[in-house]
Structures are given as C-alpha cells and as structure tokens.
Amino acid sequence: NAGVTQTPKFRILKIGQSMTLQCTQDMNHNYMYWYRQDPGMGLKLIYYSVGAGITDKGEVPNGYNVSRSTTEDFPLRLELAAPSQTSVYFCASSYSRGVARVTGELFFGEGSRLTVL
Amino acid sequence: AQSVAQPEDQVNVAEGNPLTVKCTYSVSGNPYLFWYVQYPNRGLQFLLKYITGDNLVKGSYGFEAEFNKSQTSFHLKKPSALVSDSALYFCAVRDSRNNFNKFYFGSGTKLNVKP
C-alpha cells in the first residue's frame, strides 16, 4: 500500500529552469492538493483538484501549473524557476463526497525538497 | 473567512507530564477539524479528526482532542508525554459551508518533550 508517492525527493535547479514534480496516489482519492512549506512556516496551498480534469488555484499559484488527467496523478509544473520557489513541496490526497459531506483526512507524501540557485 | 490559529510557536513539557497544544478556528459553517504531526524531514501524518458526534476524539499514539464549539477550539492533549512525541504539530479545519474543498492549516506548534 504505497499511499501518496512523490518524486523526486530532492532537486537543485538553476534560475530559469523548469521541472515537474510528480505525485501519484493509489487510494482512489478524488481530491488532490499541492502545498509548499517554507522553513519554519506552515503550509500554503498552491493548487488543488477535486477530480480528473478539474483543477483550481490555491493561495500561491503564481509560477506553477498543474494538470489532472487521471484520478491517480497530479503533477506540479514549475516554469522559469526562481529562488523564491526554494521550498519543500508536499502532495496530498483525500476522499470526500459532497452530498453526504463525507470528509476524509488528508494523506501526505514524503515531500520534494527543491532548491533554486 | 476560514482560519486556524495555533497561538504557541513552541510548547515545552517534561516527559511523563500531560501536554496540551492549542488550536482555535474560524469558519462560517460546521467545522471539520484535524490534527497532524510532522517529524523532521517527513510528510505530515494524520493523528485524529472531529467531524460530528462526541466532542472528545481519540486518535493515534495516545493523543486526544476536545471540540469546544462555544470557544471555537480543538486543543490536542495527551495525559503523559513521551520524548518521542517531540515534533511539529498542525491543526487544520475544513468549512462545511464555504470553500469545502480546502483544508486550512495553522502555522504549527513545535512540541519539545524533555527527559
């Protein structure tokens, strides 16, 4: 039972480079999220998705893009990396049903530590 | 607007003593409340949640939390702290009425349990 898997775990980028952080979950969760955690800080929501084909912006979406072509995968794309994007990125998923307001907890990946130099 | 406050950046407690990590929230509908723990260089792990029902919720590793609607609080507690409980703790809330799709996190409280 893998849960939420993120790759890569570590990456160093040069300013202006681009990359994709991969996230996949095997729990058939409909909701998926990307957060960033800066040193000594809490979590900030970048993007989220309530199902395949549906994405929406969070608090800090600038400089990022996402897609959700399948239930399992939710990659985060960084375009033109900047030092301000140095952070630890967490992918998370949960299961919720709006009608019954069934609300499951978030399951987190182990994080991807990104440094932009 | 939805928000979560964890008023203490750090809590220090001696091993064997009871611990409390505070959390207050603000939502427009009914709150769905969660506690998570983060160990160094790891992802967040779920501890417990309150959705409805009994105000006292029991979770993993001997932790419990009490939902207090009048005080809009959801404090995390443990009767006897262990050194291994030392970690970063996050409270989170989901609003049943607005922005239901989002989880709102507090800034985190670092728990230090000394031998």
Side-chain angles (χ1 to χ4, degrees):
Chain A
N1 188 5
V4 179
T5 303
Q6 292 181 235
T7 57
K9 293 189 186 320
F10 302 94
R11 182 74 185 267
I12 298 175
L13 282 180
K14 294 182 179 178
I15 294 172
Q17 286 185 321
S18 299
M19 74 161 297
T20 299
L21 299 178
Q22 301 290 345
C23 176
T24 187
Q25 53 93 6
D26 61 359
M27 297 173 283
N28 201 31
H29 286 171
N30 49 352
Y31 285 59
M32 295 189 75
Y33 302 80
W34 275 106
Y35 290 90
R36 60 176 286 173
Q37 184 180 31
D38 298 326
M41 304 292 284
L43 298 171
K44 294 182 180 178
L45 181 63
I46 306 172
Y47 271 96
Y48 67 100
S49 168
V50 301
I54 305 170
T55 63
D56 207 347
K57 296 178 181 179
E59 302 170 76
V60 290
N62 292 341
Y64 307 94
N65 276 301
V66 293
S67 60
R68 185 97 181 270
S69 57
T70 66
T71 298
E72 295 78 17
D73 300 307
F74 191 43
L76 177 71
R77 177 82 177 163
L78 280 73
E79 304 283 0
L80 300 174
S84 61
Q85 293 179 304
T86 294
S87 189
V88 181
Y89 292 84
F90 289 102
C91 180
S93 71
S94 74
Y95 179 75
S96 294
R97 289 179 60 188
V99 174
R101 288 302 194 212
V102 172
T103 181
E105 63 271 21
L106 283 170
F107 289 78
F108 283 83
E110 289 295 300
S112 297
R113 189 176 299 272
L114 176 66
T115 302
V116 182
L117 301 174
Chain B
Q2 298 82 3
S3 66
V4 176
Q6 292 182 242
E8 300 155 318
D9 290 337
Q10 187 167 297
V11 170
N12 299 311
V13 64
E15 188 174 30
N17 283 359
L19 69 87
T20 298
V21 182
K22 296 180 180 177
C23 171
T24 59
Y25 64 90
S26 175
V27 296
S28 56
N30 293 322
Y32 302 137
L33 294 153
F34 306 82
W35 274 103
Y36 290 85
V37 60
Q38 184 181 31
Y39 297 101
N41 300 314
R42 302 295 302 275
L44 280 70
Q45 297 177 32
F46 169 73
L47 281 178
L48 52 79
K49 66 182 177 183
Y50 171 82
I51 304 299
T52 187
D54 194 348
N55 290 342
L56 184 63
V57 178
K58 295 185 183 297
S60 306
Y61 312 120
F63 285 95
E64 58 188 30
E66 187 167 11
F67 170 62
N68 187 317
K69 187 173 183 178
S70 63
Q71 297 185 4
T72 62
S73 68
F74 189 57
H75 301 331
L76 182 70
K77 299 181 179 183
K78 188 173 182 181
S80 179
L82 299 173
V83 172
S84 57
D85 293 330
S86 298
L88 188 57
Y89 290 81
F90 289 97
C91 181
V93 69
R94 208 171 180 181
D95 189 338
S96 69
R97 184 177 298 171
N98 290 326
N99 293 313
F100 175 70
N101 298 328
K102 298 180 181 179
F103 290 77
Y104 296 87
F105 282 84
S107 55
T109 299
K110 186 177 181 182
L111 175 65
N112 296 313
V113 181
K114 298 181 179 180

